[in-house]
Amino acid sequence: MNFINGILQILSDLGFVNPQDVSALIENFDSSEADYFEDFLVDEDIVDKGKMLRALEMYYGVQSVDVLGEMFDHNLLVMFPKHVLLRNCCIPYRHEGQILTIITNNPHNDNLEEILGEYVSYDFRFCVGIPSHIDMMIKDFYQDELYHD
């Protein structure tokens, strides 16, 4: 089962999406400018971010995190180049001992651990977040006047 069908099944099972609307939602997404299905659903007010995060958590089997309003550790973000974080839709969240928690749109991305491992030698724990929100937080951090290249 692909991601779109899987997330729609979960949203439908939870009563957040009407099963009769599934085909129309897929068609509307295909004709939209959204890069990610989960962004489309939230941006079009089909589900709110809390419901989307709950469905993502169930789909991936990992903790979800609402990145909006989170305070991210400057020292963690500067360990990775901006383009790496944006291209892989991920943001470092917390550091505990040898474990670095990363919020990403796809915790099942097999390449992510290897890509991030080129910059740090931590073990990674992955959480899931909404892609456009992760993107926004990365861009906000790197545009902040306190960030210096």
Side-chain angles (χ1 to χ4, degrees), residues 43-61:
D43 292 346
E44 296 296 319
D45 292 324
I46 295 160
V47 294
D48 65 33
K49 71 177 178 179
K51 291 175 181 174
M52 185 80 256
L53 287 167
R54 182 172 171 200
L56 289 169
E57 193 170 273
M58 292 174 72
Y59 181 82
Y60 287 111

Side-chain angles (χ1 to χ4, degrees), residues 1-112:
M1 180 180 297
N2 70 23
F3 173 76
I4 291 175
N5 290 327
I7 207 72
L8 282 172
Q9 183 64 54
I10 291 168
L11 290 167
S12 177
D13 290 348
L14 293 171
F16 299 154
V17 170
N18 187 331
Q20 288 81 21
D21 296 338
V22 167
S23 294
L25 288 173
I26 294 171
E27 284 179 31
N28 290 340
F29 170 66
D30 288 340
S31 64
S32 77
E33 294 183 20
D35 291 327
Y36 297 99
F37 188 64
E38 52 271 55
D39 287 331
F40 166 77
L41 294 175
V42 173
D43 292 346
E44 296 296 319
D45 292 324
I46 295 160
V47 294
D48 65 33
K49 71 177 178 179
K51 291 175 181 174
M52 185 80 256
L53 287 167
R54 182 172 171 200
L56 289 169
E57 193 170 273
M58 292 174 72
Y59 181 82
Y60 287 111
V62 298
Q63 175 188 349
S64 65
V65 179
D66 179 4
V67 299
L68 296 181
E70 281 288 335
M71 296 298 295
F72 289 92
D73 184 335
H74 177 273
N75 294 321
L76 295 179
L77 272 93
V78 297
M79 291 192 291
F80 303 95
K82 176 184 176 181
H83 73 276
V84 169
L85 298 176
L86 289 171
R87 185 176 333 115
N88 294 285
C89 194
C90 64
I91 189 166
Y93 181 48
R94 294 218 167 101
H95 171 246
E96 297 172 26
Q98 281 301 110
I99 298 173
L100 182 59
T101 301
I102 303 287
I103 303 168
T104 181
N105 72 310
N106 181 1
H108 292 171
N109 177 346
D110 294 331
N111 299 320
L112 191 54

